[in-house]
């Protein structure tokens, strides 16, 4: 079982409101380096383009992290492929992958927010078509043999005539497909031969068990290589020594984020009662003490059989020192308990 | 449809919401069929794993045979269906218009409910707006039997009383207390960016929250 963290680059609070976005980026790099140091397996950077989540360029941060870490897997989580050029995405991640000695991956997804559409001049009405075409192109580039040129034509970018896409890492990038629960996405991942990452940000975790089952059945049907059939889970989480402290702290920051997000997406802010119900047992919010979080990961593994679980901790201006402490506890307290309980086959 | 027979529920859209409604309806004893834009073959695998007992159907076949139809597809996709397709049917509009995620769609811009526009489009159907203001997974997580205390309420609006009766019964059997807020125009009370949208509320709370709002 691999454990890790993902982040959108959370901006700190200042006297006047939101702190500088520059600080969020240096904080993020520091967090990745700490995650590596405490023995965590994974760090993902999720592309966002807002004043409070400014990690707009994951590949750049990952390249810096690649050069300053030694063993942690570094990834986007997710790359919003729909509004980017797959050629450029590939080049940037391939470069970072080479710098890291093969530790950089891509998690591709539609992304949960749409702010990159107006930013890069795309039309939301092309939401599905953009994603399908760009994902297919990225996979095609990743599958090219050494120095094999590419010829491609599509709707949303200029055609490619016999062009080499460089640099190429020694082996293809690992590309995951991220989904938030649409059944068709589980089938799509298997049809494309990709490992899958489920983002579970609310409700009961167990509701994803049937979808995981669907993914596995589809993987058989599409004759995926068994070693490529992998399941990752991404969920909100925050760890502190004391369970109550962890829950109160995360409520303050997660609650703020949901209230803010609600305004953008048109839903009302969640209540503390709702939060409390979801931050225990089968709930999607992993806020608690190391023991509690370890137990919940182990229980979830028993029902879903995932091989990677990563947590979004720094939301809603969580103080940076608390973020770092939570990463440290995940690496030094939670991970050993989970690893001891789950005998990895790999 | 007679009350002794199991009603046949047709769901257009087999995504998050469509499959959640289907699962609850199957539990409640309904016969359920689903359709998407790619034909029944594409639904064979997902339905066999996620919804044993539900049937995959061709859209026209589903429209013809269902007693009650749920629209659970992206809003803009309504255009792919001709108004005739759903003529004579009771139709639940569970779709939402929210431009930050959906993009701007001219015909839904303004102070009217998106369901009012759809009622004029599907002019020969009897539209009821509901199921749009609950997160799909909460349809399962929050469902409670009729006699439970603190049962969650779900608002509905529509211009046809008998259609609303049929839909209220469905909502009740899915595990929620139906709260009739009046004609379809009152659908604006539970669209995105309202206090009712995605909020766990009892029937009484819904009534209180909407009582002060003039219709
Ligand atoms: N997700 C929720 O929690 C929730 C809650 C309440 C209401 N809603 C509303 O429900 C609707 C669907 O949302 P969702 O989250 O379930 O979306 P989704 O997971 O993306 O599923 C959409 C479904 O519609 C199908 N579809 C698309 N175009 C179609 C067409 N022209 N004809 C027939 N089927 C078509 C899709 O399949 P194919 O593309 O393969 O045809 C897919 O099965 C939206 O209007 C949303 O506002 C959602």
């Amino acid at each position: 079982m691999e454990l890790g963290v993902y982040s959108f680059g959370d901006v700190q609070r200042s006297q006047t409101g939101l702190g500088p976005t520059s600080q969020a980026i240096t904080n993020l790099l520091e967090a990745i380096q700490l995650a590596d140091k405490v023995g965590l397996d994974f760090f993902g950077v999720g592309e966002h383009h807002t004043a409070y989540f400014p990690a707009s360029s994951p590949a750049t941060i990952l390249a810096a992290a690649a050069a300053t870490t030694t063993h942690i897997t570094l990834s986007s989580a997710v790359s919003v492929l729909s509004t980017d050029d797959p050629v450029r995405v590939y080049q940037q991640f391939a470069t970072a992958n080479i710098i890291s000695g093969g530790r950089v991956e891509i998690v591709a997804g539609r992304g949960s927010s749409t702010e990159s559409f107006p930013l890069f001049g795309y039309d939301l009405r092309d939401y599905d078509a953009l994603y399908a075409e760009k994902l297919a192109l990225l996979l095609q580039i990743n599958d090219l043999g050494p120095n094999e040129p590419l010829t491609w034509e599509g709707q949303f970018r200029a055609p490619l005539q016999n062009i080499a896409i460089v640099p190429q890492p020694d082996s293809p990038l690992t590309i995951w497909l991220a989904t938030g629960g649409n059944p068709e996405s589980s089938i799509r991942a298997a049809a494309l031969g990709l490992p899958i990452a489920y983002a579970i940000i609310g409700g009961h975790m167990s509701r994803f068990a049937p979808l995981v089952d669907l993914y596995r059945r589809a993987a058989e049907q599409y004759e995926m290589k068994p070693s490529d059939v992998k399941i990752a889970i991404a969920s909100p989480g925050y760890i502190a020594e004391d369970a109550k402290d962890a829950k109160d702290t995360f409520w303050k920051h997660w609650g703020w984020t949901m209230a803010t997000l609600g305004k953008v997406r048109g839903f009302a802010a969640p209540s503390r009662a709702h939060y409390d119900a979801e931050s225990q047992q089968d709930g999607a919010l992993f806020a608690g003490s190391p023991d509690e979080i370890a137990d919940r990961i182990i229980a979830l593994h028993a029902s879903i059989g995932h091989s990677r679980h990563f947590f979004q901790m720094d939301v809603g201006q969580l103080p940076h020192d608390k973020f770092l402490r939570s990463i440290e506890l995940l690496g030094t307290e939670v991970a050993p308990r989970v690893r001891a309980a789950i005998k990895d086959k790999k | 449809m007679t009350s002794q027979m199991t009603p046949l529920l047709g769901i257009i859209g087999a995504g998050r919401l469509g499959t959640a409604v289907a699962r609850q309806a199957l539990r409640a004893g309904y016969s359920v069929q689903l359709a998407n834009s790619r034909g029944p073959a594409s639904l064979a695998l997902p339905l066999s794993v996620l919804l044993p007992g539900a049937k995959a159907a061709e859209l026209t076949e589903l429209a013809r045979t269902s007693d009650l139809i749920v629209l659970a597809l992206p809003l803009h996709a309504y255009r792919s269906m001709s108004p005739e397709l759903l003529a004579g049917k009771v139709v639940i509009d569970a779709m939402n218009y929210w431009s930050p995620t959906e993009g701007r769609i001219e015909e839904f811009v303004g102070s009217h409910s998106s369901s009012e526009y759809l009622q004029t489009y599907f002019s020969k159907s009897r539209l009821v707006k509901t199921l749009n203001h609950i997160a799909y997974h909460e349809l399962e997580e929050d469902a409670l039997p009729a006699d439970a205390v603190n049962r969650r309420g779900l608002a509905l609006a529509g211009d046809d009383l008998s259609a609303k009766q049929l839909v209220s019964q469905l909502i009740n059997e899915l595990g929620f207390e139906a709260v009739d807020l009046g004609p379809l125009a009152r659908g604006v009370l539970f669209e995105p960016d309202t206090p009712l949208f995605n909020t766990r509320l009892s029937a009484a709370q819904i009534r209180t929250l909407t009582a002060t709002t003039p219709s």
Side-chain angles (χ1 to χ4, degrees):
Chain A
M1 169 66 84
E2 298 180 342
L3 293 179
V5 181
Y6 73 111
S7 167
F8 303 160
D10 190 38
V11 165
Q12 293 289 287
R13 187 161 294 177
S14 77
Q15 256 91 1
T16 49
L18 278 180
T21 49
S22 58
Q23 182 74 54
I25 299 303
T26 43
N27 284 352
L28 180 52
L29 187 57
E30 190 188 0
I32 301 175
Q33 290 161 344
L34 176 65
D36 184 58
K37 210 172 85 188
V38 298
L40 286 172
D41 306 288
F42 177 87
F43 204 108
V45 176
E47 178 184 336
H48 276 69
H49 303 264
T50 68
Y52 44 90
F53 288 144
S56 60
S57 180
T60 314
I61 299 165
L62 296 176
T68 52
T69 56
T70 57
H71 69 272
I72 195 166
T73 297
L74 302 164
S75 180
S76 53
V78 306
S79 292
V80 186
L81 266 187
S82 308
T83 54
D84 210 334
D85 176 3
V87 174
R88 207 71 183 123
V89 171
Y90 175 83
Q91 291 176 329
Q92 289 164 344
F93 280 81
T95 303
N97 178 284
I98 294 162
I99 294 170
S100 74
R103 290 182 285 122
V104 170
E105 304 182 348
I106 295 175
V107 179
R110 293 162 195 266
S112 55
S113 33
T114 53
E115 73 266 346
S116 65
F117 280 77
L119 180 61
F120 296 120
Y122 288 93
D123 190 336
L124 270 169
R125 280 173 293 194
D126 297 325
Y127 191 78
D128 290 320
L130 277 166
Y131 183 59
E133 174 174 309
K134 300 211 175 206
L135 179 59
L137 176 54
L138 177 71
L139 296 179
Q140 206 179 332
I141 296 170
N142 196 38
D143 283 345
L144 293 171
N147 292 317
E148 183 189 340
L150 176 64
T151 297
W152 177 92
E153 210 179 307
Q155 193 186 342
F156 297 109
R157 61 146 291 146
L160 297 159
Q161 264 306 325
N162 209 32
I163 296 178
I165 314 283
V166 292
Q168 289 177 302
D170 296 333
S171 45
L173 296 171
T174 300
I175 299 176
W176 298 66
L177 198 75
T179 164
N182 179 328
E184 187 48 37
S185 300
S186 289
I187 299 176
R188 186 201 297 248
L192 295 170
L194 302 179
I196 195 163
Y198 293 94
I200 313 183
I201 56 172
H204 297 169
M205 301 301 281
S206 54
R207 73 192 161 92
F208 278 77
L211 287 175
V212 171
D213 197 22
L214 176 61
Y215 170 69
R216 290 209 170 94
R217 290 270 295 278
E220 272 169 38
Q221 192 165 312
Y222 288 100
E223 297 176 358
M224 266 182 81
K225 231 188 332 157
S227 58
D228 289 342
V229 182
K230 288 183 289 195
I231 291 127
I233 304 269
S235 53
Y238 173 74
I239 302 150
E241 274 88 353
D242 176 65
K244 184 176 176 325
D245 174 34
K247 288 187 209 294
D248 287 349
T249 301
F250 201 55
W251 162 245
K252 189 169 153 201
H253 299 280
W254 177 89
W256 181 88
T257 301
M258 294 309 283
T260 308
L261 207 63
K263 286 190 199 116
V264 180
R265 306 225 181 124
F267 60 79
S271 66
R272 173 77 199 238
H274 175 98
Y275 167 84
D276 285 335
E278 296 215 333
S279 53
Q280 53 171 321
Q281 292 171 355
D282 193 30
L285 308 175
F286 284 70
S289 67
D291 271 336
E292 198 182 344
I293 299 307
D295 287 348
R296 289 180 58 199
I297 296 169
I298 294 162
L300 184 67
H301 179 268
S303 70
I304 277 186
H306 58 315
S307 60
R308 180 183 282 177
H309 197 147
F310 45 102
F311 300 94
Q312 186 180 25
M313 302 170 167
D314 59 332
V315 295
Q317 299 138 34
L318 178 76
H320 188 52
D321 58 328
K322 291 189 195 280
F323 179 32
L324 294 181
R325 183 67 186 140
S326 179
I327 292 172
E328 197 179 345
L329 288 172
L330 182 65
T332 58
E333 300 288 330
V334 177
R337 291 171 217 200
V338 172
R339 288 188 194 117
I342 302 167
K343 309 268 170 292
D344 267 5
K345 278 158 241 143
K346 62 165 209 157
Chain B
M1 191 191 81
T2 60
S3 55
Q4 297 95 310
M5 275 166 45
T6 354
L8 180 53
L9 183 70
I11 302 173
I12 304 177
R16 282 163 294 200
L17 183 69
T19 55
V21 174
R23 193 168 299 120
Q24 286 304 102
L26 284 169
R27 281 185 186 141
Y30 283 76
S31 299
V32 176
Q33 51 184 348
L34 296 103
N36 63 6
S37 67
R38 290 170 301 133
S42 70
L43 287 174
L45 177 64
L47 295 196
S48 73
V49 177
L50 303 177
L51 294 168
K55 190 181 137 218
E58 201 73 62
L59 188 58
T60 46
E61 170 73 3
L62 177 142
R64 196 176 58 76
T65 55
S66 299
D67 297 305
L68 186 56
I69 292 171
V70 183
L71 299 181
L73 65 171
L75 180 61
H76 63 83
Y78 83 87
R79 290 193 207 97
S80 67
M81 294 179 284
S82 81
E84 284 304 319
L85 184 75
L86 306 180
K89 298 287 174 180
V90 174
V91 175
I92 295 177
D93 174 18
M95 305 184 293
N96 290 300
Y97 176 60
W98 185 239
S99 63
T101 54
E102 191 90 23
R104 189 181 163 90
I105 311 178
E106 266 345 293
E107 62 268 35
F108 295 112
V109 177
S111 58
H112 58 286
S113 163
S114 58
S115 300
E116 287 180 272
Y117 178 82
L118 287 178
Q119 176 68 82
T120 57
Y121 181 82
F122 293 110
S123 59
K124 294 177 188 162
S125 311
R126 291 177 287 157
L127 230 74
V128 179
K129 183 186 190 78
T130 189
L131 293 177
N132 67 305
H133 60 299
I134 176 166
Y136 72 103
H137 51 90
E138 291 169 6
L139 271 176
E140 288 184 81
E141 291 162 4
D142 291 357
L144 285 173
D147 54 1
V149 280
N150 270 335
R151 203 179 189 216
R152 182 166 172 176
L154 285 182
L156 64 88
D159 294 334
D160 184 289
L161 274 183
S162 65
K164 284 201 281 194
Q165 258 162 24
L166 192 65
V167 173
S168 295
Q169 191 187 333
L170 172 74
I171 297 296
N172 194 42
E173 285 169 350
L174 292 182
F176 300 86
E177 190 166 339
V179 185
D180 184 355
L181 293 186
L184 207 49
R186 299 268 289 176
V188 291
L189 294 176
F190 49 100
E191 293 190 338
D193 209 18
T194 64
L196 264 58
F197 194 76
N198 256 8
T199 317
R200 284 186 168 81
L201 299 168
S202 67
Q205 286 171 314
I206 292 178
R207 287 192 192 98
T208 313
L209 266 172
T210 52
T212 50
T213 320
S215 56

